[in-house]
Amino acid sequence: MAEPAASVLDVRDLKTVFRTRGGEIHAVNDVNFHLKPGELLGVVGESGSGKSVTMMSLLRLLPAPPAEIRSGKVLLNGKDLLAMSDEELRTVRGAKIGFVFQDPMTSLNPVFTLGNQIMEPLIKHLKMSKVQAEARAVELLELVGIPDARRRLYQYPHQFSGGMRQRVMIAIALACDPDVLIADEPTTALDVTIQAQILELVKELRRKLGMAIIWITHDLGVIAGIADRVMVMYGGQIVEHAPVRELFANPQHPYTRALLQTIPRITGPRDTRLKVIEGQPPILNAPLTACPFRARCEYRFDTCDAVNPARRAIDAQPIGQGHDVACHWHAPARQEPAHA
Amino acid sequence: MLDAAPAPLVQVQDLKMHFPIYTGLFRKHTGDVKAVDGVSFDIMAGQTLGLVGESGCGKSTVGRAILRLYEPTAGRVVIDGDDVAKLAPEPLRRKRPTMQMVFQDPQASLNPRMTLAEIVSEPLDEHTSWTRDQKLERVYELMDQVGLNRRFVNRFPHEFSGGQRQRIGIARALALKPRFIVCDEPIAALDVSIQAQVVNLLEDLQEKLGLTYLFISHDLSMVRHLAQRVAVMYLGRIAELSPSKDLYRRPLHPYAEALLSAVNEPDPELASRRNRIILKGDVPSPANPPKGCNFCTRCPKVMDICRSIKPDLIEAEPGRLVACHLYGTTTAAGSTGASEANERNQQGETR
């Protein structure tokens, strides 16, 4: 469907379930997307929408059991990561694909110096000597804007502030010059002014290094500022996908629309009352046979209860390239509801 | 701006909350973390004051010190006529029903071994001599008010979602019919689609019950939505205290300006056009604040005077208080001269 030749990463029909005592949780349901070199793909969704599990599945980072990747392909430059041996996969993790996690407090090891943690991938993956690795580590810390880098190398994580730690995490993820950087809510734990610093840093690094980035967040404001394309996830599947300006100017899925309306703005007229999405996100304890958003949707009609909608292109481009949406409401033969 | 000039229900004057640092073998008192260092503001009855700032700026400490969950180091906190900061234990206990709190993390602030009924009626056990039936009746009434189904009355906190748990926290705060509620980041732990539900509930309750809120948050857009006036805190002090619409249209303090420019608006067009102010560095430690203005280490408009003298909170424009040397005494004198008869100009600082 997508053009494999042009993409660094191509994910097809990915399906991940968790086996629990209470039954199976279908966390990721037939997710398809691709990533072109140098672009920034934003992934938006609430907690439990499957965005983090999807990305963890790509590198098989989920503990199995309980997690099980039931089907799918994850092609990195044409090679399927899901078919690789653990040995082979280890040459990809941290080298070809860098990962930045949400909480910089817990994702650095408190008993090792930063230098140690930055040099580890350099020595393991790039087979550098200690001296070479140290020089490169200083370079990396300078790249992510940490002053006095050489001295900082011998300090421990607790000697750094939250924003500084997230810079270090980014430095580690970039150490081996990866093709793809996956950032899972990298700014969520940070204050707004520090968040602004990190966003600025990422923009600058993209200009300098040109890697492709997947940016996971629940914050539509962050996405608006940095992404090229956005996919919106709900109930473990992609419900809408579009270039960033198109998505914000012309949201099609009722969930995306509602989400954009629930956020108060800092400029423009002040809303007298916030729009509410009633109800709760779905519990994914069975395979989806109907639209996961139907219980909270104001456009719900019969078909929504019977069939889980597939993604349909709403412009002339193929699915995953332009603007597409998984909603019956946009089926070609749809009837406009009376109140729309 | 002075809509019918409501009287202040809460008056805070020069509130200080210092946490002592003890070091060495003999636990010698070697310094203080000045979490809150001279904060003054009023909250009008029936209104909401937003208190914003980054983590560590002391905003939650202000909330807790006002309700005397901490013993304030200095200052006056007058709530509905009584100076809460100085009340003796028994009068304080009798005062507690008028002032309540909604906590940030509903998961952590509800006892996992108590049912909803027990949680919500606990304040009633403490402060009333009602019978069981009377208490249960009140619990049902509260559940209706916050939108919880009466069938859930015997459930435990883990059986509820995050949004519902926060409703339980709100019901508990309302149990004794308070007049003043401190909401300490009540929506920070919730998903975006659930946040709006809780915010609308808080607004409805305010209108119905005439509540007064201190709404503590780092979410500037939500505060704009909720609050009539907003105080921006930085490192234990108020940088700016302005009516919400003025602050968001034209922030006066350089920190307020930077903070607002750092907010991400969900609008790609705007994001590409906007000139952000990116502050350098991190917030200094409140145990060792800078000598002059607390913001002088990061301020893009810093002057020499900022590094030596702490600016007082003065009325830079009618109704707008700013602690910044950019707004000198001359401009302040000019604008206060235009006698805007408002009692909001309460300078706590007299040093």
Side-chain angles (χ1 to χ4, degrees):
Chain A
M1 238 182 270
E3 310 156 8
S7 32
V8 239
L9 190 69
D10 202 341
V11 176
R12 294 187 198 165
D13 301 321
L14 185 70
K15 194 179 264 194
T16 305
V17 298
F18 289 94
R19 288 157 178 258
T20 66
R21 267 192 303 176
E24 287 183 345
I25 301 294
H26 296 252
V28 179
N29 301 303
D30 295 314
V31 164
N32 281 287
F33 69 93
H34 69 105
L35 188 67
K36 286 182 248 163
E39 78 171 338
L40 199 152
L41 173 68
V43 184
V44 198
E46 293 176 82
S47 22
S49 64
K51 53 195 195 307
S52 292
V53 177
T54 303
M55 298 311 152
M56 303 278 268
S57 301
L58 301 187
L59 285 175
R60 307 211 314 249
L61 288 173
L62 296 166
E68 182 190 328
I69 297 172
R70 194 142 286 176
S71 68
K73 277 191 169 135
V74 178
L75 302 173
L76 178 73
N77 295 319
K79 285 183 86 177
D80 189 357
L81 301 183
L82 297 184
M84 279 182 182
S85 67
D86 288 353
E87 206 88 337
E88 266 181 295
L89 194 60
R90 222 167 287 147
T91 65
V92 174
R93 289 183 188 148
K96 299 268 178 7
I97 299 183
F99 226 110
V100 179
F101 295 94
Q102 171 170 358
D103 190 352
M105 309 297 160
T106 52
S107 41
L108 287 169
N109 191 329
V111 301
F112 287 104
T113 62
L114 285 182
N116 230 311
Q117 299 184 55
I118 301 175
M119 282 151 60
E120 188 184 354
L122 295 169
I123 295 170
K124 287 247 164 74
H125 289 302
L126 302 183
K127 312 280 180 254
M128 283 188 183
S129 72
K130 231 182 138 190
V131 181
Q132 283 173 316
E134 204 172 277
R136 174 82 177 128
V138 173
E139 248 176 64
L140 283 165
L141 286 185
E142 278 166 1
L143 183 72
V144 296
I146 293 183
D148 201 5
R150 189 160 288 279
R151 189 175 58 86
R152 290 295 221 167
L153 223 44
Y154 301 101
Q155 294 187 340
Y156 291 86
H158 73 266
Q159 291 166 294
F160 287 73
S161 66
M164 282 294 175
R165 279 183 230 189
Q166 201 55 291
R167 284 169 192 265
V168 172
M169 285 300 297
I170 293 172
I172 295 175
L174 293 176
C176 298
D177 206 359
D179 298 328
V180 178
L181 180 71
I182 300 177
D184 189 356
E185 305 249 13
T187 57
T188 306
L190 306 175
D191 278 312
V192 272
T193 62
I194 307 295
Q195 188 175 348
Q197 289 176 356
I198 298 288
L199 290 177
E200 211 54 32
L201 171 70
V202 169
K203 282 186 202 164
E204 194 192 308
L205 290 174
R206 263 185 85 196
R207 273 197 298 274
K208 275 192 205 157
L209 308 174
M211 69 281 189
I213 302 177
I214 299 177
W215 191 285
I216 307 172
T217 181
H218 65 268
D219 188 337
L220 286 160
V222 170
I223 282 294
I226 57 165
D228 300 317
R229 281 191 296 138
V230 186
M231 51 193 217
V232 181
M233 291 193 69
Y234 192 86
Q237 56 188 17
I238 299 170
V239 293
E240 184 159 8
H241 166 276
V244 66
R245 282 172 188 238
E246 167 73 10
L247 186 88
F248 283 88
N250 187 20
Q252 289 297 314
H253 199 281
Y255 175 62
T256 319
R257 286 188 192 191
L259 209 52
L260 281 168
Q261 284 168 349
T262 58
I263 318 171
R265 304 296 170 96
I266 208 149
T267 50
R270 190 178 157 273
D271 326 88
T272 43
R273 196 162 172 84
L274 295 179
K275 192 177 158 78
V276 162
I277 307 178
E278 294 296 346
Q280 304 290 330
I283 297 159
L284 302 165
N285 53 5
L288 291 172
T289 52
C291 175
F293 188 59
R294 68 187 187 287
R296 306 172 79 184
C297 184
E298 46 183 330
Y299 300 101
R300 176 184 188 172
F301 61 108
D302 313 343
T303 322
C304 306
D305 300 325
V307 187
N308 186 15
R311 286 165 73 185
R312 292 164 201 275
I314 64 158
D315 47 18
Q317 306 203 52
I319 289 165
Q321 304 287 328
H323 192 169
D324 59 73
V325 60
C327 180
H328 292 301
W329 220 70
H330 292 276
R334 73 160 187 240
Q335 301 285 316
E336 295 276 328
H339 62 283
Chain B
M1 202 161 61
L2 298 169
D3 21 352
L9 180 77
V10 179
Q11 288 172 291
V12 177
Q13 275 168 25
D14 205 15
L15 180 70
K16 286 184 185 165
M17 186 67 233
H18 295 180
F19 296 97
I21 307 169
Y22 299 104
T23 48
L25 182 61
F26 300 105
R27 315 312 297 160
K28 219 172 85 200
H29 182 198
T30 50
D32 291 293
V33 174
K34 294 176 179 160
V36 177
D37 199 21
V39 161
S40 306
F41 56 82
D42 289 354
I43 311 176
M44 307 301 152
Q47 289 199 350
T48 302
L49 177 76
L51 187 58
V52 300
E54 297 177 272
S55 36
C57 74
K59 55 190 191 303
S60 291
T61 310
V62 167
R64 286 165 177 252
I66 288 177
L67 296 188
R68 211 152 140 205
L69 300 179
Y70 293 140
E71 290 297 325
T73 311
R76 273 160 58 83
V77 179
V78 179
I79 298 178
D80 203 12
D82 297 308
D83 185 356
V84 174
K86 300 203 172 59
L87 279 183
E90 187 46 36
L92 177 66
R93 203 185 74 88
R94 284 197 304 272
K95 183 78 185 167
R96 290 235 175 258
T98 50
M99 44 186 209
Q100 292 289 319
M101 186 152 182
V102 176
F103 295 91
Q104 167 166 4
D105 187 351
Q107 171 92 50
S109 58
L110 302 177
N111 188 334
R113 297 191 162 205
M114 287 165 78
T115 63
L116 189 159
E118 288 167 341
I119 291 169
V120 176
S121 63
E122 202 181 18
L124 302 171
D125 299 341
E126 176 69 17
H127 288 280
T128 66
S129 48
W130 293 357
T131 63
R132 261 181 86 120
D133 288 347
Q134 279 174 310
K135 282 185 227 167
L136 191 63
E137 195 41 50
R138 176 73 181 141
V139 170
Y140 280 136
E141 200 181 299
L142 288 161
M143 289 176 75
D144 293 343
Q145 271 179 352
V146 300
L148 286 166
N149 194 318
R150 287 188 175 204
R151 281 187 294 128
F152 299 163
V153 72
N154 288 320
R155 291 198 185 175
F156 289 92
H158 74 264
E159 296 175 84
F160 294 94
S161 68
Q164 287 173 322
R165 278 189 212 132
Q166 198 54 290
R167 287 174 196 264
I168 301 175
I170 294 170
R172 175 176 60 185
L174 291 177
L176 296 165
K177 306 198 170 162
R179 299 194 58 196
F180 173 55
I181 297 183
V182 174
C183 306
D184 187 4
E185 303 253 17
I187 53 166
L190 305 176
D191 264 319
V192 208
S193 73
I194 309 295
Q195 286 185 355
Q197 296 178 0
V198 173
V199 165
N200 282 351
L201 172 67
L202 286 171
E203 282 186 303
D204 289 346
L205 291 170
Q206 179 167 46
E207 197 165 304
K208 249 185 273 166
L209 308 173
L211 297 168
T212 305
Y213 291 144
L214 174 65
F215 190 85
I216 302 171
S217 179
H218 63 268
D219 185 339
L220 287 147
S221 45
M222 207 51 102
V223 168
R224 175 178 188 238
H225 175 77
L226 269 165
Q228 284 81 28
R229 293 193 308 144
V230 180
V232 180
M233 271 187 85
Y234 185 80
L235 209 58
R237 297 168 69 92
I238 290 181
E240 177 166 354
L241 175 54
S242 287
S244 165
K245 57 177 195 256
D246 297 337
L247 177 77
Y248 287 88
R249 192 185 307 131
R250 189 171 52 89
L252 295 180
H253 196 284
Y255 176 65
E257 199 182 346
L259 197 62
L260 283 174
S261 92
V263 175
N264 297 293
E265 281 276 74
D267 181 349
E269 303 288 336
L270 199 71
S272 63
R273 266 188 286 123
R274 203 155 68 144
N275 252 337
R276 281 170 169 254
I277 303 166
I278 306 284
L279 290 179
K280 298 228 167 60
D282 289 304
V283 185
S285 155
N288 186 19
K291 186 162 166 273
C293 172
N294 278 349
F295 188 52
C296 73
T297 54
R298 300 172 82 196
C299 183
K301 296 178 179 167
V302 64
M303 303 177 290
D304 285 340
I305 183 176
C306 306
R307 296 204 178 85
S308 49
I309 300 168
K310 279 209 195 304
D312 287 334
L313 195 63
I314 55 157
E315 187 168 32
E317 283 176 24
R320 305 190 64 175
L321 305 176
V322 182
C324 179
H325 290 301
L326 284 174
Y327 305 92
T329 37
T330 42
T331 48
S335 56
T336 33
S339 68
E340 185 92 8
N342 80 42
E343 57 219 325
R344 288 171 187 175
N345 182 18
Q346 9 84 357
Q347 255 101 306
E349 302 289 67
T350 40
R351 272 190 238 165

